[in-house]
Structure formats: C-alpha cells, structure tokens
Amino acid sequence: SRATLFDAENKVKITFNDVAGLEEAKEEIKEIVDYLKSPGKFTKLGAKIPKGALLVGPPGTGKTLIAKAVAGEAGVPFFSLSGSDFVEMFVGVGAARVRDLFKQAKEKAPCIIFIDEIDAVGRSRGRGAMPGANDERENTLNSLLVEMDGFATDSGIIIMAATNRPDVLDPALLRPGRFDRQISVDKPDIIGREAIFKVHLKPIKLSPDVDPKKLAAQTPGFAGAEIANVCNEAALIAARRDREEVTMQDFQDAMDRVIGGLEKKNKLISPDE
Ligand code: ATP
C-alpha cells in the first residue's frame, strides 16, 4: 500500500544531544546541517553543495540516529526507506518507489532522504549469481542514480545512506556528485560507551551504586544499540523484582542476558563455528 512506500517524519525531535560519542562523525555531519540551514552561504561563492553522504559502520552504531539528528538540528523533514525493502519487489515497483520518494522530497525541500542498508540495492551491477535474477534490483539502483543526478545541488535535498559493506557498492554510487563523502560510524571505545550509557541511563531511576564507568568497562565490543538494550533490560528486570530503583546487580544480569542474545545470534549466522 502507499502508506508503506517510505517513512516521512516532518518534525524530528532527535538532536546531537541524543548522539553520544562519535565526535568525529558529528563534526563532519555538522557541515551538512549548515548546507541545509544556510545554502546561500556556500552557493554565493560558487560552491556546489554535496548531494549525498555515506555513513559506514557496523550495525547498531547510530547511523540512523545521527542522520535523524541532522534533520532535527536543521529542522527539516526526514524521509527514510531501507534498501532491503526493495529485495523481492515486483517488476517496476522499486524504481517507481524511488521516483515517488524523490518527487515528495522535492516538494518538502529542504529535507533529508535516508536510505538504510543501501548495499541491498547498491551492490555492483552484473554481480548476480543467476542471470536475470538481479534485473529488478539493478532497475532500482539505476533509478536512484538517475534521481540523484536529476536534482540541482542547491535544491535543498541531502541524501544520506548507511551501509556496513561499502566494499560491495557499485562504484557509480560513489562518484562525485553522488555519495562522494564517507563518514565512519564505528563501535564506541570505553569513553564512547560511557557517554552512550549516560544518555540511556537518564530516564531510568537509578540506585546510587550504578556507575556508568564500570558499565562501560564491562561491555567491550558493544554497539550503541546493545547499550540501549542493556539499560532497558535492567529496568525491566528491576521492575520484575519489585524494586524502587535499578541496581548494579540488575545491570549485571541485563548485560549477561544481552551477551547471551548476541552469542545466540552469532551462532545462527555462522552455524559451523
Ligand atoms: P543498523 O545498521 O542496524 O540500522 P544503525 O547504525 O542505524 O544500525 P541506530 O538504529 O541508529 O543504529 O541505533 C539503534 C539505537 O541504538 C538508537 O536508536 C539508540 O537508541 C542507540 N544508539 C546507537 N548508537 C548510539 C549513540 N552513539 N548514542 C546514543 N544512542 C545510540
């Protein structure tokens, strides 16, 4: 149905305050906020505003979050869709969906278009296992390239895309005038994890023994999404234990649970390990 073509959020509430760590990525991305807020500052000197930026990093590190924060900071609408939605699409539907998205975005400009998992549509062309099997995906990719080339750099549309597989992307996507900027959004180090814990601990009623530094030290390898998950699990566990406050013990149990879940997921992905 039309309602599921893509998501559109007119008033985005997320700002850079919601994005912890990722200082370098935030610095680079602040430039995009400027392009959206004061395009004239750039165009009057003859500069061409970039059309797209590619956010590169593992799952759950905050790529969607940071893209949304750009829209929130600039006060512009946020259109989003996921590359994986295009897989197994009927003939012509993917390309039509892309055209429709850009048409609506142009009407709402300035705005952000966010394409999650762009590798699902953006894999290099002609790499298919079966001849013909990838035609529809390629049609979708071609229509994306046509749309990206078809709007002027000062039209107020900035396209952000996310991937954890930049190596498989069709080089055509990375040409100047398309996704010519890459911003890495990596897993947090201990300092970053502490900052992310602090963001997600804010709404929780904490016992004084809860120490974000200790939590960060005990969660090496966790991405932001897992840290958010730990915080919520801990609150759920504490509530089930009829506590008035969430304790360090509840966090301990929540971490064990999240680590257990991650291990299970890894087993499913690589069954012969
Ligand atoms: P995917 O590639 O799986 O789509 P992603 O990189 O887009 O992942 P997000 O969807 O942005 O990750 O992150 C999921 C959630 O994890 C966020 O909504 C937020 O609650 C939390 N999170 C992730 N990174 C951060 C961060 N740097 N600061 C604060 N919260 C974070």
Side-chain angles (χ1 to χ4, degrees):
S1 78
R2 273 194 73 87
T4 58
L5 286 179
F6 48 79
D7 285 333
E9 260 182 70
N10 284 316
K11 289 252 179 310
V12 179
K13 291 206 185 85
I14 289 169
T15 67
F16 286 141
N17 282 336
D18 299 300
V19 186
L22 300 177
E23 297 307 329
E24 271 176 51
K26 272 199 255 180
E27 269 324 301
E28 291 184 59
I29 236 155
K30 275 180 188 155
E31 293 181 12
I32 299 177
V33 176
D34 284 343
Y35 297 143
L36 289 163
K37 275 182 149 173
S38 21
K41 184 168 125 185
F42 301 91
T43 53
K44 77 176 182 202
L45 297 182
K48 285 197 185 80
I49 290 174
K51 286 181 175 177
L54 189 65
L55 304 171
V56 178
T61 47
K63 297 181 292 296
T64 308
L65 189 68
I66 208 168
K68 262 196 188 167
V70 172
E73 293 281 343
V76 302
F78 184 80
F79 291 90
S80 67
L81 50 76
S82 175
S84 58
D85 294 344
F86 290 112
V87 182
E88 292 180 39
M89 196 93 83
F90 292 113
V91 176
V93 175
R97 205 178 265 206
V98 168
R99 282 195 298 274
D100 207 32
L101 171 68
F102 277 81
K103 185 165 168 273
Q104 291 214 27
K106 278 176 200 157
E107 287 164 11
K108 287 271 177 76
C111 68
I112 297 274
I113 293 178
F114 177 68
I115 306 172
D116 202 2
E117 298 179 66
I118 190 159
D119 43 283
V121 265
R123 258 164 214 274
S124 47
R125 287 165 288 188
R127 258 201 184 184
M130 264 187 299
N134 274 333
D135 286 358
E136 188 44 27
R137 192 185 55 71
E138 290 184 7
N139 284 341
T140 307
L141 173 58
N142 286 334
S143 89
L144 177 63
L145 295 172
V146 166
E147 291 294 336
M148 278 192 92
D149 293 343
F151 69 84
T153 52
D154 61 354
S155 65
I157 301 176
I158 293 203
I159 310 171
M160 303 181 76
T163 184
N164 55 1
R165 293 296 309 275
D167 53 309
V168 302
L169 290 183
D170 196 300
L173 276 170
L174 307 176
R175 278 198 202 116
R178 293 174 184 159
F179 294 104
D180 49 1
R181 307 247 157 151
Q182 293 203 18
I183 299 173
S184 52
V185 181
D186 289 318
K187 279 197 182 178
D189 60 7
I190 188 165
I191 308 283
R193 292 198 299 276
E194 185 183 343
I196 298 171
F197 265 111
K198 283 182 175 157
V199 165
H200 291 280
L201 291 177
K202 236 179 263 164
I204 296 177
K205 239 181 147 187
L206 294 177
S207 140
D209 73 330
V210 175
D211 179 355
K213 265 203 174 60
K214 280 190 194 147
L215 294 171
Q218 290 178 48
T219 44
F222 276 45
E226 283 127 33
I227 292 174
N229 195 359
V230 164
C231 292
N232 196 55
E233 263 315 312
L236 291 173
I237 289 170
R240 240 177 261 126
R241 290 171 176 165
D242 292 321
R243 290 203 212 277
E244 296 296 317
E245 293 169 330
V246 187
T247 67
M248 201 63 179
Q249 185 59 54
D250 303 322
F251 277 93
Q252 218 74 56
D253 297 336
M255 284 186 285
D256 288 344
R257 192 174 280 187
V258 171
I259 290 168
L262 288 177
E263 280 168 358
K264 234 183 254 160
K265 206 163 81 187
N266 289 340
K267 271 203 199 110
L268 287 175
I269 291 165
S270 45
D272 43 18
E273 267 177 359

